[in-house]
Amino acid sequence: MKNRLSLLIPFILVIVSLASSSLIYLQTDRANRNSIQKHAVTEATLQMGGLQNGLYNWLTAGDEQQALLSLSIAATYPSIRTLMLVDERHHVLMANRYRWKGKLARAEASYSDAEAERIIDSGVSQLAFNDAESTLLQGYFPLITEYKQGGLKKTRGVLYVEYDISRELQAEKQETIAQALIFAGITLLASALIGILLHLLVTRRVNLLAVASARIAEGDYSARTGLQGVDELSALGRSFDLMAQRMTENVARQERGHALLAEAQQIAHFGSWELDSFTGKLEWSTQMFHLLEVDSSACVPSCEAFLNVVHPDDRALVSQSCFHTQTENKPRQFIHRLLMADGRIKWIEQRCTHYVDADGRVVRSVGTVQDVTSREEAALQLSIAAVAFETQEAILVTDKDANIIKVNHAFERITGYSQEEVLGKNPSLLSSGRQDKTFYRVMWEAINSEGRWSGELWDRRKDGEIYPKWLTITAVKNRDKVTHYVAVFMDITGRKKAEEEIYSLAFFDPLTHLPNRRLLMDRMHIALGQSDRSRHCGALMFLDLDHFKVLNDTKGHEFGDQMLIEVARRLSVCVRDSDSVARFGGDEFVVLLEGLSINENEAVVQAGLVAEKIRDSLSQTYLIADYVHESSSSIGVVLFNGAEVEAENLFKRADLAMYQAKEGGRNMVRFFEPAMQAVLEARTLMERALRQALPNDELELYFQVQTNQDNTLLGAEVLLRWRNPVLGLVSPAEFIPLAEQTKLILPIGQWVLEQACARLKLWETHPVLCNMRLAVNISPVQFHRPDFVRQVKTILAESGANPQRLELELTENLVLEDVEEAILKMTELKAFGVRFSMDDFGTGYSSLQYIKRLPISQLKIDQSFVRDILTDSGDAMMVQTIVAMARNFGYEVIAEGVEEHAQLSPLIKIGCASFQGYLFGRPVALGDFERLIGGWVER
């Protein structure tokens, strides 16, 4: 390592010389190559020009032998690889190879027919290097080879030549390499010589300087280089020795200064410290050990040792202060506590500063530590009194006549008045005017009798703003006589706002700012009590927006929120101030009307007028961000008179009436009728029984066959039946909606899928059933579950059924609730092998834009269209349209509800070839279905 300088410089010279040799070689090679190419072009131009003239003369004179001789002589030129005369048909007339005669020129050389024809037509020669073979120079020279009919007709050809300059280039390259090697060798010899000289004249002497420097760095100031001579390194050595001598003297003076400083610190009772930022070495003065009360022989100065003596509560302050001092590079002064071994608290004041180099880096830190315990204890007593007065609460002190004599900063901040502006004035200048004379009279009576008063009141700031505050006034007495009054108050504006916000969040809808369910329930209980006392009727309305989800799905929730806000506004306009409008969530609103007529019939009319007013208002066009939207509402109304019916039951009745309005066609008002109560009770009974249907094994699968015009069995639809011991056979139209509303459809739907897949697995060995598909209806509640896809895959995997035999039937409205979700789930299951059928097609709100994106295999024509296909031209046209659309999209199509032979002919005629209905078989239990299939096979 000591000789690395004598090696590094020669090594750099070697690298530079090699790089220079390479660059010289590349440049020379490029220049020589260009020169050879230019020379070759010049020679070829002259040579071929002469040959072109000679051949023209001999050939037009008819002396072909002489022409061949001229061509052969020219071909002897060393660089010519190919020389041929080619006619217009690109056949060789003569060449430097006799065997080429009569052959196609392109077969023997790099000759281009297209290029030759261009040269013949233009009459202009061309000489250029080949793009693929850079050493090959190609030339095309036009030539008239023969005159006929007295010169009236002439035969044209082309003289084609190829020059190969590779030998010249190779010779030039070898010569260039030799020159580069000679240059590199000379450079290497020079580098070796330089290395030897550097070692003898520089490296050895530099090593002497390095050794002496290392000794001084270790504290040996007697080190010297002893270099003699007149060169620069000798001069450097002498300067170094002089520097070492002066350092020795400075160290002696410094040690003397340290001794004097230690004496001064002992007299003044303060310590000092010094930190070397490069080495991290920390030094303490003798007095520093005394202040910290630690043994200098047992304690090594360090930040950790100092922090161990610092009071635990001040350690973060000390660490942070030292850190900021270094980063900000500014002197710092701070006071903190020490915790002595015997538990005493000692206050010390620290001062520290830092010294930086030219780059702004801290190289050295110094500081002092002084015991200020006595001073701090005295100041603490004053601080306690000052802090007690300067709190976050405003304090106002008056004399016995209520003239202000002192205020704190909190008073100035809260009121906006400075102390100078209020001194000598009465606190009434803060009065807002909201409290009357009686309020103040009661307040002063309490102060005079009890000595204090606390309460809430409103005051006015200097800028005129009125704000609430909590005020406490205490009378200060001396020998039972009032000498002063002290008022302490705080601004409670924030608390008031927080209370209002909490109240709003608890009782109001954050979007529409209407009362929520909780507040309406409170108002409902109050309204029932008032109705019971006054015997006036009231009305409860349950509103639901028709097809609101379509707006959310097509335009986004921002549009939906804007519409809900507009609905809230319209509802509020339609009712009186004494009535209540609330939002229950989603698109459901509730209106509470109070103080209707005592007569029930008149109350019905009054409630009906308001309901119709609301329905008409909500059916008006909505303009939402330049988007025109049409909507309507379904309204259920229930009357109440007194508290005979509980609030919860009233809500259920209004809800039931609202659903009656929806089932009646939407955009209408329906009143709850006594008959509906029976329906409500029956629904409750049915729900209770349905919850036990699965555990009690009351559910059963029925199967209805699907076939085509050739009577071929295609598959079957799985239908669910419920037979309850008490309710008997319950219609699916009754219990399926109930199961969906109560979420019982989730376990029921899973059970149906499991049974269907298990049946598919068992039928795999059946000669006919093994080829059939089973179609299972899927509920929207079931489909929109996040784990629906995983559930179907798990059931198929556990059952071992073929996914291609399972068909899931979905309705249009189910898909349109969330088209993107439907596409993702359907696509994933279809990739797994599961088919999809669009059930009851034509009865929903179909959008071709969405239908064409859905990965469905089949459209199922609803039975309502099939039933009247013979008597209703509209239904017939609808069926024809559905079949045509399915054919265009590549979907299969099946008609359900086929009950008569007469319905088959028009269906087959328009292209519908698959059917399902009573004509082919009613839904039957498993045993009957298998017997039906057995009989089918026998046909």
Side-chain angles (χ1 to χ4, degrees), residues 696-708:
N696 295 340
D697 198 22
E698 298 174 4
L699 299 177
E700 183 180 3
L701 296 186
Y702 273 48
F703 303 84
Q704 186 174 26
V705 69
Q706 296 174 339
T707 183
N708 60 14

Side-chain angles (χ1 to χ4, degrees), residues 36-262:
I36 292 173
Q37 287 180 343
K38 288 182 179 180
H39 179 74
V41 171
T42 303
E43 287 292 322
T45 301
L46 294 174
Q47 189 175 13
M48 288 300 104
L51 180 60
Q52 183 182 21
N53 293 333
L55 290 178
Y56 170 77
N57 293 332
W58 294 119
L59 289 175
T60 54
D63 193 346
E64 184 176 342
Q65 291 296 326
Q66 189 62 37
L68 179 58
L69 178 61
S70 299
L71 187 143
S72 299
I73 293 172
T76 60
Y77 188 76
S79 296
I80 293 181
R81 186 171 73 183
T82 301
L83 184 61
M84 59 176 66
L85 181 62
V86 184
D87 61 15
E88 293 177 326
R89 294 175 301 142
H90 309 294
H91 288 85
V92 178
L93 296 176
M94 58 183 65
N96 59 334
R97 299 286 188 277
Y98 182 76
R99 56 187 175 81
W100 290 353
K101 185 174 182 179
K103 296 184 178 180
L104 288 172
R106 65 176 176 272
E108 307 301 332
S110 299
Y111 177 88
S112 170
D113 294 354
E115 196 64 33
E117 290 175 0
R118 187 181 65 79
I119 296 301
I120 293 172
D121 293 339
S122 65
V124 179
S125 302
Q126 176 179 298
L127 188 62
F129 282 93
N130 187 282
D131 293 335
E133 190 176 354
S134 61
T135 61
L136 179 63
L137 179 63
Q138 292 177 285
Y140 295 86
F141 298 87
L143 189 66
I144 297 175
T145 59
E146 182 181 9
Y147 283 108
K148 294 180 180 180
Q149 297 179 5
L152 297 176
K153 184 177 181 182
K154 54 188 176 182
T155 302
R156 295 180 296 177
V158 64
L159 177 63
Y160 175 72
V161 64
E162 292 180 355
Y163 282 81
D164 186 358
I165 64 172
S166 58
R167 286 182 298 178
E168 290 86 342
L169 290 175
Q170 185 64 30
E172 174 274 327
K173 187 183 294 290
Q174 292 176 353
E175 182 180 355
T176 305
I177 291 174
Q179 293 175 356
L181 290 174
I182 292 171
F183 178 79
I186 293 172
T187 306
L188 289 174
L189 290 175
S191 300
L193 180 60
I194 291 172
I196 294 172
L197 292 174
L198 280 173
H199 176 71
L200 294 175
L201 300 178
V202 178
T203 305
R204 183 177 60 83
R205 307 171 85 182
V206 169
N207 287 338
L208 290 174
L209 285 167
V211 170
S213 299
R215 289 175 59 189
I216 289 180
E218 293 173 355
D220 182 5
Y221 298 106
S222 65
R224 301 293 184 269
T225 63
L227 291 176
Q228 301 295 327
V230 296
D231 57 12
E232 290 84 350
L233 285 177
S234 298
L236 178 61
R238 289 192 296 273
S239 298
F240 182 86
D241 293 343
L242 179 60
M243 178 191 70
Q245 176 64 32
R246 291 181 177 175
M247 285 181 64
T248 302
E249 297 171 356
N250 289 336
V251 167
R253 285 195 295 269
Q254 189 176 22
E255 290 176 350
R256 176 58 181 164
H258 285 167
L260 294 174
L261 178 61

Side-chain angles (χ1 to χ4, degrees), residues 388-389 394-408 411 419 422-427 430 471-476 483-489:
F389 189 72
I395 299 177
L396 178 151
V397 181
T398 72
D399 59 18
K400 63 182 180 62
D401 298 322
N403 297 313
I404 299 174
I405 60 174
K406 182 68 174 177
V407 297
N408 65 355
F411 175 91
Q419 179 169 276
V422 297
L423 286 180
K425 297 181 180 179
N426 190 281
L430 303 175
L471 173 65
T472 298
I473 301 177
T474 304
V476 180
T483 60
H484 298 84
Y485 293 101
V486 177
V488 180
F489 63 88

Side-chain angles (χ1 to χ4, degrees), residues 708-709 859 861 866 879 883 887 893-896 898 903-915:
N708 60 14
Q709 59 186 7
L859 296 180
I861 304 175
V866 177
V879 173
V883 173
R887 185 186 303 114
V893 63
I894 183 172
E896 63 176 346
V898 181
Q903 294 171 332
L904 280 179
S905 179
L907 288 171
I908 295 173
K909 184 177 180 180
I910 62 177
C912 179
S914 300
F915 315 101

Side-chain angles (χ1 to χ4, degrees), residues 48 274 277 531:
M48 288 300 104
E274 181 179 9
S277 298
S531 175

